[in-house]
Amino acid sequence: MKLQKIGWSAPISILAALTVGEFRFIPNSQFKIINSQALAQTQAQRKAEADRLLDQGHQQYEISQFQAALLSWQQALIIYREIKDRQGEGKALGSLGNAYNSLGDYAKAIDYLHQDLAIAREIKDRQSEGRALGHLGNAYNSLGDYAKAIDYLQQGLAIAREIKDRQSEGAALGNLGIAYNSLGDYAKAIEYVQQGLAIARERKDRQIEGAALGNLGIAYRNLGDYAKAIDYAQQVLAIAREIKDRQSEGAALNNLGLALFNSGNLPGAEKTLLDSIKVSDSLRAGLDDANKVSIFETQTRAYGILQKVFIAQKKTNDALEIAERGRARAFVELLASRLAPSASAQTTINPPNIQQIQQIAKEQNATLVEYSTIGDEALYIWVIKPNGEITFRSVDLKSLNINLPEATEGTRVSAATGRRGLNEKDTALAEMIRGTRDALGVSAAGDTANRQAANRPASTPANSRIIYPKLQQSYQLLIQPIADLLPTDPNAPVIFIPHKSLFLVPFVALQDPTGQYLIEKHTILTAPAIQILQFTRQSRQKLRQLSLPNNLVVGNPIMPKIGNPPRQLDPLPGSEREAITIAQLLNTKPITGSQATKASITQQMLKARIIHLATHGLLNEVKRRDLPGAIALAPSGNDDGLLTSSEILDLKLNAELVVLSACNTGRGKLTGDGVLGLSRAFISAGVSSIIVSLWSVPDAPTGELMAEFYRQLQIQKNPNKAQALRQAMLMTMKMHPTPQDWAAFTLIGEAE
């Protein structure tokens, strides 16, 4: 007999049970009992499934399947929360927190671990509380907040000793050693680590034993005892390979390579560090873009050390290959997957060798200038001419006289996962760049989403020459060492490939000793990496075949609201005038006010050859999927009007040029992969060239600059965006001589 329809939503297991045998009437009282039993059975099944996912995540993590592990733990967390299993929820949160700490996403790690700690205290689980405190200590250690790290680790240590949790006690002792090592208290570091090592050996915990040995090696290396450092690193490497811990293997190779370099064994250091980088490459395979970026942040130190090893051996071209290999890896793989979907199945995209780098310079018909910052020790500079000639120059950064602590790599251990992370401090060079921006009045403290707020009258008469000592200092450091290698033809393109804080440098405004700006001598572009130019060129060739007729010009939309409590962004009448002028030059109609909705503009962007957006740009006010940056458009319906970097990343654009005539659109989160923000998002979406700003731009001079840029494009027989931008800056400079008014913009990607 068929089951009759029941007027309530029953679990599948109950329905299946009722289909067996003959249909019979069930009294309400008995029905409630059956329902209760079935729900209990379902609850138990759900818990079993969550437990399985939790264990599965740990198994996946142990074999370096990080993305799969994160997914398993996220699924387990959802189930634990649904069935209100607080203990399971805490375990899932702790696993996620430890994983994100290991992947270099420390903010996310700390968020998860604080939730784990709160649950442990709520359910009065002392063991879980102690471990959560220890894990938080690890995360703050990774973040560089050593005082907070020590506080959490000491709390965790006290609980571990109270409840006799020897595993957590050993891990806490080892991690306290790392914190004190980072603070330069090597004697205390060694004392703590040796206590942790004794416990690990007592428990026969090979993973934590290896971590403790690694930490001892780091301490002795810092003390200058390289023989001991090498011995300990070799012991760690043997253990890591024995237990098949790839992350520990990579860290051990890194530490061993550095110790060998310090001891003067350059060939040994070279081989070891190359092996370390191979392990790092394998660990990134399979991760999504965001996690590739964050884990790469924990791996960049090996690339810098290896460059030093090559330079010490006078292998300057080999050092260039490693400098290029150590930047924008996730960006390159993202672009490769967008341009050739079949490449998305490829685990890694090979970095360029010297011959390929020379070929890229030839194809661009440009002089490439690649910088590499080596801590606060040195600045390496390579100049690659269009004919393939490569010249290396080095600058001693110690002359900057800004002393900051040396970056230190540590082996931090989680009692649950035994994983490692790195910590790298700021550099003297970054301080100098901040000073340069301060001198221009465009420091981070002064940044704002408001173009209008950035508007200021020129402080000097037109056509006057203003001298900025800080801009001259930056010229002396970044340009003077290679000035003789740059082209004498001002129309010949020079493409700067910055590194770390150098992405914030306004290269066009750097002043030589006579006060002449660099843009007066050269046509300037920038790029995150040499290999990125290969992909933007491919995008340009692909777009030429499409020949889209439409141009899109947007100015002064009805502004959205941001913040809490929400406040509406100020209108930009100057941006509207800019859009009207530029639309006439591009033979299209400007879209302004209420017509410039996010929904409408996003659709029109898909069919546009040139996209010009004159509106507010937001930097840190909006962050989605951990990507900073947004463009203000008109809200409509339930749409807030904010076009974010993460949304742009998901688009498929066919534009030859995007101009973001807004504030801070070239800024974002500085990483080893370049700048995470709007520029990266647009290029990843298929755009071959983009013009972005490095600070909050003034409304009126920006409108004049942009209009002149498009006029210059129109009068050129063979339109060249870089040359047009240069001419627009030179023209705007005559009326607005202060570089704050004309030097914010940079062209990334293709010149033609």
Side-chain angles (χ1 to χ4, degrees):
M1 181 179 292
K2 291 184 179 179
L3 177 68
Q4 300 296 315
K5 185 176 180 181
I6 300 175
W8 56 277
S9 179
I12 294 174
S13 57
I14 299 177
L15 297 180
L18 289 175
T19 60
V20 178
E22 294 297 319
F23 179 82
R24 58 190 175 86
F25 173 76
I26 302 174
N28 283 341
S29 58
Q30 191 176 345
F31 191 84
K32 289 179 181 178
I33 293 171
I34 293 173
N35 188 26
S36 176
Q37 290 172 341
L39 287 173
Q41 181 185 10
T42 304
Q43 191 94 339
Q45 290 173 339
R46 295 282 281 161
K47 176 174 170 49
E49 174 64 6
D51 291 343
R52 184 192 68 77
L53 286 165
L54 190 70
D55 291 339
Q56 176 178 285
H58 288 295
Q59 291 166 12
Q60 291 165 330
Y61 199 92
E62 288 303 318
I63 57 174
S64 303
Q65 292 182 0
F66 303 133
Q67 200 67 44
L70 292 173
L71 179 59
S72 294
W73 287 328
Q74 288 284 8
Q75 291 173 335
L77 179 61
I78 291 170
I79 296 173
Y80 283 132
R81 283 175 169 168
E82 285 177 354
I83 65 176
K84 295 181 172 53
D85 183 338
R86 296 291 274 167
Q87 188 171 51
E89 182 181 352
K91 289 179 180 178
L93 288 164
S95 297
L96 285 164
N98 287 327
Y100 279 114
N101 182 42
S102 212
L103 292 171
D105 193 338
Y106 306 130
K108 193 172 287 185
I110 288 168
D111 179 43
Y112 278 117
L113 292 171
H114 271 298
Q115 293 181 61
D116 178 22
L117 178 61
I119 290 174
R121 286 173 169 168
E122 173 195 321
I123 64 177
K124 296 180 171 53
D125 183 338
R126 291 288 277 169
Q127 185 176 55
S128 296
E129 180 184 358
R131 292 189 176 184
L133 287 163
H135 298 156
L136 273 168
N138 296 342
Y140 281 110
N141 217 348
S142 300
L143 197 61
D145 190 340
Y146 304 123
K148 193 170 284 187
I150 289 170
D151 179 41
Y152 279 112
L153 288 167
Q154 289 285 13
Q155 291 183 60
L157 178 61
I159 292 176
R161 285 173 168 168
E162 171 196 325
I163 64 174
K164 296 181 173 53
D165 181 349
R166 294 288 276 172
Q167 182 186 31
S168 295
E169 180 183 358
L173 288 164
N175 288 314
L176 278 165
I178 276 297
Y180 282 109
N181 182 69
S182 299
L183 291 170
D185 191 341
Y186 306 128
K188 189 172 285 188
I190 290 171
E191 177 188 346
Y192 274 115
V193 174
Q194 284 178 333
Q195 292 179 55
L197 177 61
I199 292 174
R201 284 176 169 166
E202 166 200 314
R203 298 186 64 257
K204 295 182 173 54
D205 188 329
R206 295 289 277 166
Q207 194 167 51
I208 294 184
E209 178 186 358
L213 289 166
N215 293 334
L216 282 171
I218 293 167
Y220 281 112
R221 187 190 73 215
N222 288 333
L223 287 169
D225 191 338
Y226 303 128
K228 273 188 180 178
I230 290 168
D231 179 49
Y232 280 121
Q234 287 172 334
Q235 291 183 59
V236 178
L237 182 59
I239 291 173
R241 286 173 172 168
E242 172 196 325
I243 64 177
K244 295 180 173 57
D245 183 343
R246 291 286 281 170
Q247 274 193 307
S248 296
E249 181 183 357
L253 287 165
N254 195 354
N255 288 322
L256 178 58
L258 179 54
L260 289 167
F261 171 65
N262 292 147
S263 71
N265 184 349
L266 299 180
E270 177 184 328
K271 180 184 182 306
T272 303
L273 290 166
L274 283 170
D275 288 343
S276 171
I277 288 173
K278 287 178 184 176
V279 173
S280 297
D281 287 346
S282 72
L283 292 173
R284 293 195 298 272
L287 289 171
D288 64 16
D289 180 59
N291 286 318
K292 280 182 182 178
V293 171
S294 63
I295 195 174
F296 191 61
E297 286 295 275
T298 73
Q299 300 169 339
T300 56
R301 188 167 167 78
Y303 297 90
I305 301 167
L306 186 53
Q307 287 174 61
K308 290 167 65 175
V309 171
F310 279 131
I311 295 302
Q313 298 178 89
K314 302 189 185 308
K315 297 180 179 179
T316 57
N317 283 0
D318 294 277
L320 173 57
E321 288 185 353
I322 291 301
E324 181 66 15
R325 185 172 178 175
R327 65 187 71 202
R329 299 318 308 155
F331 196 2
V332 164
E333 290 173 17
L334 184 62
L335 284 175
S337 67
R338 297 292 179 92
L339 284 168
S342 60
S344 61
Q346 199 171 334
T347 54
T348 57
I349 303 299
N350 292 329
N353 57 32
I354 286 297
Q355 292 73 31
Q356 290 167 330
I357 288 171
Q358 292 170 317
Q359 181 62 27
I360 291 169
K362 180 179 179 181
E363 290 172 351
Q364 294 285 328
N365 192 27
T367 299
L368 310 182
V369 180
E370 175 142 320
Y371 293 97
S372 186
T373 59
I374 309 299
D376 58 354
E377 301 172 28
L379 176 67
Y380 294 163
I381 315 174
W382 292 268
V383 177
I384 306 98
K385 294 184 178 180
N387 63 6
E389 179 186 336
I390 300 176
T391 306
F392 170 76
R393 301 278 166 86
S394 178
V395 179
D396 183 2
L397 292 181
K398 295 184 180 67
S399 61
L400 293 179
N401 295 321
I402 303 175
N403 296 316
L404 295 173
E406 182 183 356
T408 302
E409 180 180 18
T411 310
R412 298 174 185 85
V413 187
S414 157
T417 66
R419 295 302 176 184
R420 280 78 172 155
L422 307 181
N423 178 55
E424 190 169 26
K425 287 189 175 295
D426 208 347
T427 65
L429 184 61
E431 284 294 319
M432 191 203 76
I433 302 307
R434 277 192 283 271
T436 301
R437 292 173 64 85
D438 287 343
L440 287 174
V442 295
S443 64
D447 285 338
T448 172
N450 195 336
R451 262 182 54 156
Q452 222 170 29
N455 201 3
R456 47 194 170 275
S459 57
T460 56
N463 301 318
S464 65
R465 178 67 61 178
I466 310 167
I467 300 299
Y468 292 87
K470 289 287 187 180
L471 292 177
Q472 289 183 321
Q473 181 188 20
S474 294
Y475 181 96
Q476 185 71 24
L477 181 73
L478 301 174
I479 305 301
Q480 191 61 46
I482 58 167
D484 60 312
L485 302 172
L486 299 181
T488 55
D489 179 0
N491 289 317
V494 178
I495 305 177
F496 290 103
I497 295 92
H499 191 217
K500 297 185 177 179
S501 57
L502 295 181
F503 278 103
L504 297 176
V505 172
F507 283 95
V508 296
L510 300 186
Q511 282 185 312
D512 70 10
T514 69
Q516 191 174 24
Y517 293 110
L518 194 62
I519 194 64
E520 296 179 90
K521 301 179 181 181
H522 303 292
T523 297
I524 295 171
L525 302 87
T526 60
I530 292 174
Q531 195 170 17
I532 294 295
L533 295 169
Q534 184 180 18
F535 289 103
T536 56
R537 182 174 177 80
Q538 289 177 25
S539 291
R540 180 71 184 93
Q541 291 170 339
K542 179 181 175 182
L543 296 172
R544 278 178 176 167
Q545 298 172 359
L546 297 175
S547 299
L548 295 176
N550 298 330
N551 295 319
L552 175 63
V553 180
V554 177
N556 193 27
I558 296 295
M559 291 299 169
K561 295 180 179 180
I562 63 168
N564 188 19
R567 65 173 181 85
Q568 187 172 25
L569 294 170
D570 294 333
L572 296 172
S575 297
E576 187 164 343
R577 291 190 293 272
E578 173 186 328
I580 292 170
T581 301
I582 290 169
Q584 290 174 342
L585 292 169
L586 294 179
N587 195 28
T588 189
K589 292 183 179 179
I591 303 176
T592 62
S594 61
Q595 299 300 308
T597 64
K598 174 182 165 183
S600 172
I601 298 304
T602 303
Q603 286 300 310
Q604 293 183 65
M605 285 169 63
L606 303 178
K607 300 175 289 185
R609 182 175 65 89
I610 294 176
I611 300 171
H612 185 94
L613 304 176
T615 180
H616 284 299
L618 299 104
L619 179 59
N620 295 316
E621 297 89 344
V622 179
K623 184 181 286 189
R624 308 275 166 80
R625 280 171 25 195
D626 294 330
L627 292 176
I631 293 294
L633 296 170
S636 60
N638 295 324
D639 192 331
D640 62 8
L642 297 171
L643 180 59
T644 66
S645 294
S646 62
E647 291 171 321
I648 294 164
L649 198 62
D650 293 333
L651 297 176
K652 292 184 179 180
L653 301 179
N654 296 299
E656 296 177 15
L657 172 66
V658 168
V659 178
L660 300 183
S661 182
C663 299
N664 293 307
T665 52
R667 294 186 59 196
K669 182 179 179 182
L670 288 177
T671 72
D673 207 67
V675 180
L676 302 189
L678 290 165
S679 60
R680 185 180 191 270
F682 271 107
I683 292 173
S684 299
V687 174
S688 62
S689 305
I690 183 168
I691 293 177
V692 292
S693 62
L694 295 176
W695 55 73
S696 296
V697 294
D699 208 22
T702 297
E704 295 172 28
L705 173 73
M706 290 301 169
E708 186 60 35
F709 166 71
Y710 288 104
R711 289 191 196 100
Q712 291 293 328
L713 273 183
Q714 282 195 330
I715 63 177
Q716 293 178 0
K717 291 182 179 179
N718 298 306
N720 184 295
K721 306 177 191 76
Q723 291 175 7
L725 183 59
R726 174 177 182 267
Q727 290 300 323
M729 287 182 173
L730 295 178
M731 295 290 288
T732 306
M733 189 191 305
K734 293 178 181 179
M735 294 303 298
H736 304 280
T738 58
Q740 299 98 312
D741 292 337
W742 55 264
F745 291 95
T746 185
L747 173 63
I748 302 172
E750 296 299 293
E752 296 180 354

